[in-house]
């Protein structure tokens, strides 16, 4: 990113009388514009097998396969301010257009157990563990910068720089996850369920297939710089789920649920672009969001017949966060001196499932 800014004359050295670089201009802007779009997703395919013993002990094994296809684009612009004999003047607009593509696949394994401790009581407890998801990913980026070519505070021309960043292949390992649950039914009319899950995202790990940029990095396979950033910026995430289902008529059920997920980022987390990680050789984005707690509420209606079944549900989700277009800190500090822009990600989902049992 810095190289692209230099090539497009976004930054230019101010030299002293003896030819030494003493400053970089311009350093201010009067207006800002930011737009981001994301599309694609992660498709999951599950293959499972399960059994039960005397309707008191249940076990299941699931192999999950993931197909990753994510794209995003960022447009960021500033109106550059310069100085002419100590006076502030408009130099002109700077514009950055960046596109990123992430593709690949992944796999994980989940193993779970459910036990009814008392034969005559419907109360049951469960435990499951999920291995890390092992992803093989490829990241590619495109960057375009347009900037005024200034001289003594005036724009004399506009320069443009384009770059297709060489794609980088890497392996991503997500954290282990553990899940505890308890459930029961009351008079075959009301069902209650409670779950807790924990995953320590600071243990996320990145490796490279054949990257030997730094010989000291375990033959170039493990990104210790990103490991350090994960330890400093991410933390353990706690997930709580509670749900209830009531039978209101023959074959007709009413459902409600609530889901809470704690914040994955530490309070002072930031995107550090000044590390020895080779992943930044393929990075063109400078923006980041420190996500807060996530809340989901669900309300639904279900029907169960001899063969046919249908479920309809409405889900509302909200999560706040602090958005930064880039990280700027004064000398000797690590916190971002830029004021955060508060964002609120709200989502309304309507889900319909129908099926037929033969």
């Amino acid at each position: 990113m810095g190289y692209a800014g230099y090539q497009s004359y976004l930054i230019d050295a101010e030299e002293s009388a003896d030819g030494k670089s003493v400053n970089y201009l311009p350093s201010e802007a009067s207006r800002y514009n930011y737009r981001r779009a994301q599309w694609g997703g992660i498709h999951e395919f599950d293959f499972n097998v399960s059994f039960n013993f005397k309707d008191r002990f249940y076990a299941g094994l699931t192999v999950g396969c993931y197909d990753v296809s994510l794209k995003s684009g960022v447009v960021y612009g500033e109106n550059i301010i310069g100085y002419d004999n100590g006076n502030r003047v408009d130099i002109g607009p700077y514009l950055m257009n960046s596109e990123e593509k992430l593709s690949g696949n992944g796999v994980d394994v989940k193993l779970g157990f459910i036990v009814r401790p008392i034969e005559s009581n419907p109360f049951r407890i469960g435990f499951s563990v999920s291995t890390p998801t092992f992803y093989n990913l490829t990241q590619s980026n495109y960057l375009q910068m347009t900037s005024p070519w200034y001289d003594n505070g005036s724009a004399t021309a506009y320069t443009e720089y384009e770059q297709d960043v060489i794609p980088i292949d890497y392996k991503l390992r997500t954290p282990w996850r553990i899940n505890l649950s308890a459930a029961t039914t009351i008079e075959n009319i009301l069902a209650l369920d409670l779950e807790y899950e924990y995953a320590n995202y600071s243990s996320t790990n990145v490796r490279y297939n054949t990257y030997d940029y730094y010989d000291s990095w375990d033959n170039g396979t493990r990104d210790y710089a990103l490991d350090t950033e994960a330890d400093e910026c991410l933390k353990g995430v706690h997930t709580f789920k509670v749900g209830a289902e009531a039978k209101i008529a023959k074959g007709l059920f009413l459902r409600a649920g609530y889901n809470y997920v704690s914040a994955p980022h530490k309070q002072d987390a930031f995107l550090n672009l000044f590390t020895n990680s080779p992943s930044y050789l393929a990075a063109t984005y400078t923006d980041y969001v420190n996500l807060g707690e996530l809340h989901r509420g669900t309300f639904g209606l279900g029907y169960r017949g001899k063969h046919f079944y249908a479920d309809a549900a409405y889900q509302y989700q909200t999560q706040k966060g602090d958005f930064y277009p880039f990280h700027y800190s004064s000398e000797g500090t690590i916190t971002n001196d830029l004021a955060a822009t508060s964002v609120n990600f709200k989502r309304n989902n309507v889900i319909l499932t129908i099926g037929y049992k033969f």
Side-chain angles (χ1 to χ4, degrees):
M1 178 65 71
Y3 177 76
Y6 180 80
Q7 289 292 92
S8 61
Y9 290 90
L10 174 63
I11 55 177
D12 196 20
E14 182 182 31
E15 296 183 350
S16 61
D18 57 0
K20 294 182 179 179
S21 296
V22 295
N23 194 13
Y24 286 91
L25 295 174
S27 58
E28 296 183 35
S30 60
R31 293 189 301 273
Y32 308 88
N33 180 49
Y34 172 88
R35 288 179 291 171
R36 171 187 275 271
Q38 294 178 295
W39 60 97
I42 301 177
H43 303 92
E44 179 178 357
F45 305 90
D46 288 337
F47 305 89
N48 61 72
V49 59
S50 61
F51 73 93
N52 79 80
F53 180 71
K54 295 185 177 181
D55 288 329
R56 290 189 60 187
F57 178 81
Y58 307 83
L61 177 69
T62 300
V63 177
C65 299
Y66 303 85
D67 176 64
V68 181
S69 180
L70 291 167
K71 295 181 180 180
S72 59
V74 168
V75 176
Y76 179 76
E78 297 180 354
N79 187 61
I80 302 299
I81 296 295
Y83 290 87
D84 185 9
N85 296 322
N87 298 316
R88 286 166 55 97
V89 294
D90 279 344
I91 293 180
Y94 141 67
L95 184 66
M96 180 198 74
N97 175 35
S98 181
E99 299 177 4
E100 179 180 280
K101 180 180 179 181
L102 184 67
S103 60
N105 54 73
V107 63
D108 65 11
V109 177
K110 308 175 187 70
L111 179 64
F113 307 92
I114 298 176
V115 179
R116 287 200 302 121
I118 304 173
E119 184 176 4
S120 59
N121 193 304
F123 175 75
R124 53 193 180 273
I125 56 176
F127 171 78
S128 67
V129 59
S130 299
T131 69
T133 303
F134 298 91
Y135 286 105
N136 286 287
L137 301 172
T138 298
Q139 178 180 321
S140 58
N141 299 66
Y142 166 78
L143 177 67
Q144 180 190 47
M145 277 191 177
T146 302
S147 174
W149 186 358
Y150 54 90
D151 182 27
N152 294 325
S154 300
T156 59
Y158 277 87
T159 58
E160 182 176 302
Y161 174 78
E162 289 188 67
Q163 181 180 9
D164 277 310
V165 182
I166 298 175
I168 185 170
D169 299 322
Y170 62 95
K171 300 177 183 293
L172 173 66
R173 188 196 68 192
T174 66
W176 287 82
R177 288 177 292 159
I178 58 171
N179 179 286
L180 300 173
S181 64
T184 191
T185 57
I186 301 175
E187 299 294 333
N188 290 325
I189 296 177
L190 180 64
L192 303 172
D193 179 81
L194 178 67
E195 290 186 35
Y196 167 75
E197 184 174 281
Y198 177 78
N200 183 11
Y201 282 88
S202 66
S203 64
T204 300
N205 177 269
V206 173
R207 291 178 176 269
Y208 303 94
N209 295 327
T210 57
Y211 200 90
D212 56 1
Y213 192 80
Y214 296 101
D215 294 334
S216 61
W217 283 6
D218 203 11
N219 292 326
T221 59
R222 184 169 178 177
D223 195 331
Y224 290 106
L226 275 188
D227 285 356
T228 300
E229 293 304 308
D231 289 339
E232 294 181 351
C233 295
L234 302 178
K235 60 182 181 179
V237 173
H238 306 271
T239 301
F240 297 92
K241 299 178 183 179
V242 59
E245 179 183 84
K247 183 178 180 181
I248 57 177
K250 183 178 180 180
L252 193 62
F253 300 89
L254 188 67
R255 303 186 180 97
Y258 172 72
N259 178 202
Y260 166 82
V261 182
S262 65
H265 295 100
K266 295 181 180 179
Q267 189 69 27
D268 58 352
F270 69 95
L271 178 60
N272 185 2
L273 297 176
F274 299 96
T275 71
N276 289 329
S277 170
S279 65
Y280 293 136
L281 297 177
T284 56
Y285 292 174
T286 61
D287 61 301
Y288 62 96
V289 178
N290 289 342
L291 294 173
E293 301 172 342
L294 185 148
H295 303 269
R296 293 190 187 99
T298 304
F299 177 81
L301 194 66
Y303 171 77
R304 289 288 183 274
K306 183 177 180 180
H307 297 288
F308 176 79
Y309 64 90
D311 295 283
Y314 166 75
Q315 182 188 79
Y316 174 75
Q317 174 179 308
T318 179
Q319 184 178 35
K320 294 183 179 181
D322 292 329
F323 166 78
Y324 299 91
F326 49 83
H327 179 79
Y328 170 76
S329 61
S330 302
E331 186 176 353
T333 67
I334 61 171
T335 57
N336 199 332
D337 290 341
L338 297 178
T341 298
S342 297
V343 292
N344 192 350
F345 301 102
K346 296 181 180 179
R347 179 175 296 180
N348 296 274
N349 294 325
V350 177
I351 306 168
L352 177 64
T353 303
I354 58 175
Y356 188 88
K357 294 182 179 179
F358 295 94

